[in-house]
Amino acid sequence: MLQPSRKKDDPPAGATPVTSRAWLMLALATIGFAVNFWAWALLSPLGPRFKDVLELSSFQQSLLVAVPVVVGSLGRIPVGALTDRFGGRVMFPLVSAATIVPVLYLGLSGHSSLAGLLIGGFFLGIGGTAFAVGVPLVSAWFPPERRGLAIGVFGAGMGGTAISALTTVKLVDAGSTSTPFLITAAVLAAYAVAAALLLRDAPGRTVPTEPLARRLAATAKLGITWQASALYAVTFGGYVAFSVYLPTYLKTGYGLTQADAANRMAGFVLLAVAMRPIGGWLSDRIGPVRVLAASLAVVVAGAVAQSFTPALAPVGTLAFLAMAAALGAGSGATFALVALLTPANKVGSVTGMVGAAGGLGGFLPPLLMGSLYGAYESYAIGLALLAVVAAVALGYTVTGVRIAVHGGNRDSRTPRSGHGRGHRTAGTTA
């Protein structure tokens, strides 16, 4: 008997269909990630203003910006483990509501002193932990052959930092220092209510029963935890470092105005954000190892080219845009790898540790770039070091990570070819 022909856009034979509710959960999680990241990044655009008003030193200004980043990065470890236990339906509204408190404090009174800013910034780091809530929530709603795209789309919520960069200073100029904080708090409150009413965990979610400390210790023993952490420290860490330091680099190295440098940084951020879901989608098609290898190769080439400080038009601009696209795609591919190799009941814990590595990976490079420029009046060494680190990560990807993927019965070819469909866990990886 003849079988009816399959339309071009039909899912492949054997693929699990994705429900409309899964897409709704993905949309809600992405919005929540963006809103929390918007709050998390509120202090950075106002750093120069606080430096002038409060007469801060350069170190104090750097500390002010760094505190939410460090707390938000390290906080992902326990929050990811708690998400495994209680689910995203509980944790997303909780994290969003908790972030309202430091946002209001900073907007109403905390911005008047360095001590107040540091205290508020410490608790503002809670917003940065939302990433560790969304990945396990989204991953559980989508079948393995669609998780790369889904988590990549969710990861585009990191564009919340761009919202902060583009609006915070303008809102202060149009109103007062409190204005952006009050608006963000209102948006957080609206999202927390919507998430509590609409967000749901996937049916059949595996709930771990072990104590938190034991689960974190077990997570630390998984090979995928350290493999993905190393790669994410380079890909997402590179994105964070450039998004923080690029305006200073362009102003100092090329003499651009602050406004022009900030606009170019926004372009870098938006391209990286747009490429993150594309990196996840490509990982579903051809495998995360290939996407990571290609992304890291582009970063190596871009960093080498930029280390010679070429003219900004066109070589410098092309180098930075290429690195933005590669870092975004590489970030998406890293979490496609996490979704592929991590046991279902440990996705939150692994996400927390990997997310922490990514955030911390973006903390050191700006400090290093500033120190090197102060010593040599050149950024060449810093960019050369980026090329070396990316080259090492590339070598590790095509050797150790590739072997781990094959060892878990997951090769780098598309699931549509019939490979990589098994459900082996990351416990078999090295």
Side-chain angles (χ1 to χ4, degrees):
M1 181 177 178
L2 294 176
Q3 297 293 327
S5 60
R6 186 167 60 89
K7 295 180 180 179
K8 181 180 179 181
D9 295 330
D10 285 347
T16 305
V18 179
T19 65
S20 58
R21 172 162 283 195
W23 292 112
L24 174 62
M25 295 305 108
L26 173 58
L28 287 171
T30 304
I31 293 169
F33 181 27
V35 169
N36 278 276
F37 254 42
W38 175 10
W40 189 41
L42 280 171
L43 290 181
S44 181
L46 296 175
R49 187 179 297 254
F50 288 136
K51 181 181 181 181
D52 293 338
V53 172
L54 300 178
E55 298 181 348
L56 305 180
S57 67
S58 295
F59 175 77
Q60 288 173 326
Q61 181 188 352
S62 299
L63 185 63
L64 171 66
V65 174
V67 166
V69 174
V70 173
V71 174
S73 299
L74 293 177
R76 293 174 188 177
I77 297 174
V79 168
L82 289 170
T83 301
D84 281 339
R85 177 67 179 85
F86 296 106
R89 180 184 183 184
V90 172
M91 292 301 295
F92 238 135
L94 184 61
V95 166
S96 302
T99 305
I100 296 172
V101 177
V103 170
L104 286 177
Y105 168 74
L106 287 166
L108 296 176
S109 63
H111 62 266
S112 59
S113 69
L114 176 61
L117 286 168
L118 291 176
I119 292 171
F122 181 91
F123 290 100
L124 193 64
I126 296 171
T129 68
F131 179 75
V133 178
V135 170
L137 172 72
V138 170
S139 180
W141 272 104
F142 285 79
E145 65 270 16
R146 295 289 188 90
R147 284 179 188 157
L149 172 62
I151 295 176
V153 170
F154 168 75
M158 68 186 188
T161 58
I163 297 175
S164 180
L166 293 172
T167 64
T168 302
V169 174
K170 294 177 182 178
L171 288 171
V172 169
D173 291 339
S176 67
T177 302
S178 300
T179 303
F181 295 93
L182 296 177
I183 291 174
T184 306
V187 175
L188 280 167
Y191 177 76
V193 172
L197 293 174
L198 301 174
L199 208 59
R200 296 291 183 271
D201 291 308
R205 185 178 70 88
T206 304
V207 180
T209 57
E210 300 89 349
L212 177 63
R214 186 179 300 172
R215 283 189 284 125
L216 289 176
T219 300
K221 295 178 181 179
L222 294 175
I224 182 59
T225 301
W226 302 106
Q227 292 154 3
S229 292
L231 294 171
Y232 205 56
V234 177
T235 53
F236 185 71
Y239 160 79
V240 171
F242 276 121
S243 65
V244 169
Y245 199 74
L246 192 56
T248 300
Y249 175 93
L250 293 173
K251 184 178 179 182
T252 304
Y254 287 94
L256 300 186
T257 65
Q258 189 69 48
D260 191 10
N263 289 335
R264 290 174 187 265
M265 181 274 284
F268 181 98
V269 168
L270 292 174
L271 179 57
V273 168
M275 285 300 297
R276 184 155 181 160
I278 293 176
W281 175 77
L282 286 172
S283 296
D284 288 339
R285 295 277 176 162
I286 63 175
V289 171
R290 290 180 178 177
V291 177
L292 277 164
S295 299
L296 290 166
V298 171
V299 173
V300 172
V304 169
Q306 193 57 35
S307 68
F308 293 98
T309 317
L312 200 54
V315 177
T317 298
L318 290 175
F320 277 118
L321 291 179
M323 285 192 286
L327 292 169
S331 296
T334 301
F335 269 94
L337 190 70
V338 169
L340 193 68
L341 295 179
T342 305
N345 64 343
K346 289 185 172 65
V347 172
S349 300
V350 172
T351 296
M353 290 191 176
V354 175
L360 294 175
F363 174 68
L364 181 60
L367 300 178
L368 182 62
M369 292 286 279
S371 299
L372 288 171
Y373 188 84
Y376 301 102
E377 294 189 354
S378 172
Y379 291 114
I381 297 176
L383 287 157
L385 287 174
L386 171 61
V388 171
V389 171
V392 171
L394 172 58
Y396 179 58
T397 298
V398 299
T399 55
V401 176
R402 184 174 181 273
I403 291 171
V405 171
H406 279 270
N409 197 30
R410 311 266 193 180
D411 68 16
S412 59
R413 288 172 286 183
T414 169
R416 297 188 181 215
S417 66
H419 297 278
R421 289 249 183 116
H423 290 265
R424 298 275 299 277
T425 70
T428 59
T429 64

